[in-house]
Amino acid sequence: MENLVYIALFAPLVSSLFAGLFAMSPRKTFVGVVSSLLLFISFISSAVLGYHIATTGANVHVTMMDWISVADLHIPFGFIADHVSVTMMVVVSLVSTIVHIYSIGYMDHDKSFNRFFSYLSAFVFSMLVLVMSDNFAGLFIGWEGVGVCSWLLIGFWYHKPDVSREENPSISPSWAANEAFIMNRIADLGMLVGLFIIFWSTGSLQYDVVFSQIPNLAPAVLTAAAMALFIGAMGKSAQFPLHTWLTDAMEGPTPVSALIHAATMVTAGVFLVIRANPIFSVTPEVSYFIAALGTFVAFFAASMALVNRDLKRIIAFSTLSQLGYMFAAAGLGAYWIALFHLAAHAFFKALLFLGAGNVMHAMHGELDIFKMGGLKKQMRWTYAYMGLASLALAGIPPLAGFFSKDAIIETAFNEGTLILWAMLVITAGMTAFYSFRQVFLTFLGDERYKEFGIHPHEMYGFVLIAMSPLAILAVIAGFFRDWFNSFIIHLLPNYEMSENTHHLALILGAIVLVVAVSGIILAYKKYAKGLKRSEKTENGLIYKLLINQYYIPKIYEALITKPYAEISKLMWTKVDMRIVDATVDGIAKFIYKSGDGSRKMQTGNLSNYLNWMAGGALALLFIAVASSVIG
């Protein structure tokens, strides 16, 4: 079993290195095939490990070597496959395998095809390091690894300016990549502080050692550590106010978006809270803050998705909203429910993004849903996939989202946080509305794309086949909720509903279902037949507020980006060039001129040398006499 841990972890690294050998070569299909095969091997290894843990209850722990051993600090390269990590391993490797196969078709005409697979596999490897490490230091290595890889992938088309976002055409792939990287570095400073607090308090960064010493730590120390760790999670999982990078990250290729949103980067923050649950469980103030912020973000992101016209950004706002649901569950102590929703969400969200990639491919890069319509005729499979995924996202039974998201809403009611419960219920209605708004505007109604001379077509057959496991899992994953609960409680706290909530479960579920179905019906009435009526209503103050994301990006630009750019320009022109460069250049010129002047001494004439020697001797004699007189 130990060998399977290494295979699951390092197969993506081998894939990345293999593809990297051909990075500067023309497109080679076998690079994508081999990379996909190696990711599939990682998935099979993860699945076998999961079966072993489920049947025996025994974790698999391996230590490659000692990494840092200084005084009392001992940090190994250690990895563990337990109930939490193996769940993430299976989800990450499965979704990544499908995304790799999908990318063979999607990136078919890209000249950097081989380089793309190298970056994509490195991204997966970094995420596996993050979830499989048995200590906080190893987790942080993977944490930074996914940050670097996301920078490479979001900015993969760095040579292209953005032309898809009408409200902010200044966004470009390289700008979006830098935004994501810098915003996450800000949050990671908080996480580093949390790690320092943990090591200072416990003398270790090993999970088992740290968690065993929690009863001996002061509440103030635990609160500080929990808050600092969550700041890191806020950046990685794009929680307010560090959320703006997530939708701008859509400038990367669509397979990247699917991987970031479904199985890798943005789920890392939720995973951190779940993994460090012994710390968060004893800090109720921080936990409630997490739940409240998650609920706010769920509502906040859903409201912005209501009016957005960009197909990928609508789905990105959806991810942000669903992350809020996950944090709400974790903050309320239902860690296993948060993890279950993370897994279920990965399947239908990856399916949504890959379906959006099919549409984008068919529409020659166009993403404005107001310019689509009637694509059902040409793209029946994509329509079916995206409709199915939207039903799961909306929480319609018996699909996966119904079982996972409704459990979170029920948890909010069970904890007596009725305000959070009401906001999550309303958000469920908004989710259903914007999900089917994009489906109806894209696939039903009049064929508006003909006005722009676009001739859409369905994606390659092997790509559609590769997407089918996601569709199946989006349907059946919810039926495994009870099994998952019994599996995961070996490591996570068992969260159960109270008897009162249990009796009201049908009523609570019915309320959410009615709200969600009402959202779908409203979207159908408003958008299924075209845009004539809807165009008249999409204006006014509220519309402008939502389409401009509450003007938060503009506020950041006015208060942070532009002042920082002006200060940087000032420091460069006034300080760097006039003072630093002038000083350095002045010293260099002085030395150069001194050398040029002293070169005249080297004449090759013996009498000149004797004169210089005599002058030097007199100078030394003068210095000696002067020193004795002064002394």
Side-chain angles (χ1 to χ4, degrees):
M1 288 298 159
E2 292 185 358
N3 290 334
L4 288 178
V5 173
Y6 290 125
I7 293 172
L9 176 63
F10 290 108
L13 177 61
V14 174
S15 171
S16 176
L17 296 175
F18 173 79
L21 294 174
F22 304 93
M24 303 305 293
S25 303
R27 177 190 180 280
K28 300 183 183 298
T29 303
F30 73 84
V31 170
V33 174
V34 172
S35 294
S36 302
L37 180 62
L38 286 167
L39 266 294
F40 182 69
I41 291 172
S42 177
F43 164 67
I44 294 298
S45 302
S46 300
V48 173
L49 283 168
Y51 178 78
H52 169 76
I53 294 171
T55 53
T56 66
N59 300 331
V60 182
H61 196 175
V62 299
T63 301
M64 287 180 57
M65 60 180 179
D66 287 333
W67 176 35
I68 298 176
S69 184
V70 179
D72 295 330
L73 177 62
H74 299 283
I75 301 176
F77 266 126
F79 303 96
I80 187 168
D82 58 18
H83 299 79
V84 171
S85 62
V86 82
T87 300
M88 293 295 296
M89 289 165 62
V90 170
V91 172
V92 170
S93 57
L94 173 59
V95 173
S96 301
T97 300
I98 294 172
V99 169
H100 272 69
I101 297 171
Y102 178 90
S103 299
I104 297 174
Y106 188 85
M107 302 295 289
D108 184 38
H109 302 295
D110 198 289
K111 64 179 182 180
S112 299
F113 179 91
N114 305 331
R115 178 168 60 91
F116 178 79
F117 277 92
S118 180
Y119 291 170
L120 202 64
S121 297
F123 197 18
V124 179
F125 169 69
S126 298
M127 188 64 187
L128 288 174
V129 170
L130 189 156
V131 302
M132 294 175 67
S133 292
D134 66 354
N135 60 82
F136 283 104
L139 179 146
F140 190 72
I141 293 173
W143 192 273
E144 294 303 299
V146 295
V148 171
C149 292
S150 69
W151 179 76
L152 292 171
L153 287 166
I154 294 170
F156 186 77
W157 288 328
Y158 59 88
H159 56 284
K160 293 183 178 180
D162 177 70
V163 294
S164 63
R165 184 171 179 174
E166 295 180 2
E167 66 268 23
N168 194 353
S170 63
I171 299 294
S172 66
S174 57
W175 194 98
N178 289 334
E179 180 189 21
F181 189 81
I182 294 169
M183 196 165 285
N184 274 274
R185 298 293 73 71
I186 295 170
D188 290 352
L189 177 61
M191 184 177 178
L192 276 174
V193 171
L195 298 187
F196 291 148
I197 293 173
I198 289 171
F199 179 75
W200 172 73
S201 305
T202 65
S204 176
L205 291 174
Q206 293 292 122
Y207 293 146
D208 51 356
V209 176
V210 172
F211 298 154
S212 66
Q213 295 190 34
I214 286 177
N216 304 323
L217 301 181
V221 173
L222 290 169
T223 300
M227 199 65 233
L229 289 178
F230 182 62
I231 290 173
M234 287 171 63
K236 200 65 73 182
S237 293
Q239 296 297 283
F240 177 87
L242 304 175
H243 65 283
T244 55
W245 71 264
L246 188 61
T247 50
D248 291 338
M250 296 302 97
E251 297 304 324
T254 301
V256 175
S257 303
L259 204 53
I260 288 177
H261 288 245
T264 54
M265 187 167 172
V266 298
T267 61
V270 179
F271 171 79
L272 173 62
V273 175
I274 295 171
R275 173 58 85 182
N277 74 87
I279 296 176
F280 290 99
S281 296
V282 296
T283 53
E285 300 86 357
V286 177
S287 294
Y288 186 78
F289 172 77
I290 293 173
L293 181 63
T295 302
F296 165 75
V297 169
F299 181 89
F300 173 72
S303 68
M304 293 184 286
L306 294 174
V307 300
N308 203 282
R309 293 171 53 169
D310 187 297
L311 181 60
K312 285 175 64 177
R313 283 183 169 84
I314 294 171
I315 304 174
F317 281 124
S318 168
T319 299
L320 183 55
S321 182
Q322 296 306 304
L323 288 168
Y325 273 96
M326 297 175 206
F327 277 118
L332 294 173
Y335 298 103
W336 78 265
I337 295 177
L339 185 60
F340 182 67
H341 188 53
L342 186 157
H345 171 264
F347 303 137
F348 55 76
K349 184 51 59 70
L351 186 61
L352 267 177
F353 264 115
L354 298 186
N358 291 356
V359 173
M360 186 178 179
H361 190 269
M363 294 289 293
H364 308 295
E366 181 59 64
L367 284 168
D368 189 345
I369 57 177
F370 279 26
K371 297 179 181 179
M372 300 180 187
L375 289 177
K376 176 184 175 182
K377 297 178 182 178
Q378 289 78 17
M379 308 182 70
R380 293 187 179 277
W381 279 103
T382 299
Y383 170 60
Y385 283 149
M386 292 193 71
L388 185 67
S390 296
L391 285 170
L393 177 60
I396 303 301
L399 279 72
F402 169 76
F403 293 96
S404 59
K405 190 168 69 175
D406 277 29
I408 297 174
I409 298 174
E410 191 175 339
T411 299
F413 182 87
N414 187 62
E415 291 298 315
T417 52
L418 296 183
I419 295 178
L420 303 189
W421 173 81
M423 290 183 66
L424 292 175
V425 170
I426 295 171
T427 302
M430 292 194 295
T431 301
F433 176 81
Y434 69 68
S435 297
F436 280 89
R437 171 180 175 266
Q438 70 172 5
V439 170
F440 295 148
L441 284 175
T442 302
F443 295 100
L444 302 183
D446 50 317
E447 299 170 336
R448 297 180 297 278
Y449 60 83
K450 291 183 177 180
E451 301 175 15
F452 307 96
I454 298 174
H455 303 283
H457 54 84
E458 186 60 279
M459 197 57 155
Y460 302 118
F462 77 90
V463 169
L464 297 173
I465 294 172
M467 294 168 63
S468 60
L470 294 174
I472 295 171
L473 287 167
V475 175
I476 68 171
F479 296 114
F480 295 93
R481 188 175 76 175
D482 292 337
W483 175 87
F484 184 79
N485 182 18
S486 62
F487 169 74
I488 207 69
I489 58 172
H490 292 283
L491 195 62
L492 295 180
N494 183 26
Y495 184 89
E496 294 183 353
M497 303 298 171
S498 66
E499 186 175 346
N500 182 48
T501 303
H502 182 72
H503 289 317
L504 295 173
L506 289 176
I507 297 175
L508 295 173
I511 292 173
V512 179
L513 182 59
V514 168
V515 171
V517 171
S518 299
I520 296 175
I521 294 173
L522 180 60
Y524 181 83
K525 288 184 176 180
K526 191 172 182 181
Y527 295 106
K529 295 183 180 180
L531 281 169
K532 292 181 180 179
R533 287 179 295 172
S534 62
E535 284 179 324
K536 298 178 181 179
T537 59
E538 292 200 342
N539 52 40
L541 178 62
I542 295 178
Y543 173 78
K544 291 180 180 178
L545 191 66
L546 296 179
I547 197 66
N548 287 287
Q549 302 178 41
Y550 296 94
Y551 294 95
I552 292 175
K554 288 180 170 57
I555 293 172
Y556 284 175
E557 184 177 4
L559 298 182
I560 299 175
T561 307
K562 286 186 177 180
Y564 183 81
E566 290 298 323
I567 293 172
S568 299
K569 183 178 179 180
L570 179 67
M571 295 295 290
W572 173 51
T573 57
K574 304 297 183 183
V575 178
D576 191 53
M577 294 184 67
R578 294 192 178 185
I579 299 177
V580 177
D581 285 359
T583 302
V584 172
D585 291 346
I587 294 172
K589 288 179 181 179
F590 173 77
I591 294 174
Y592 176 80
K593 290 182 178 180
S594 299
D596 191 48
S598 62
R599 197 170 45 176
K600 298 177 181 178
M601 297 169 57
Q602 306 297 325
T603 62
N605 190 303
L606 182 60
S607 60
N608 284 342
Y609 291 161
L610 290 173
N611 289 335
W612 281 108
M613 290 174 63
L618 287 173
L620 290 173
L621 180 62
F622 175 78
I623 292 171
V625 171
S627 299
S628 61
V629 171
I630 294 173

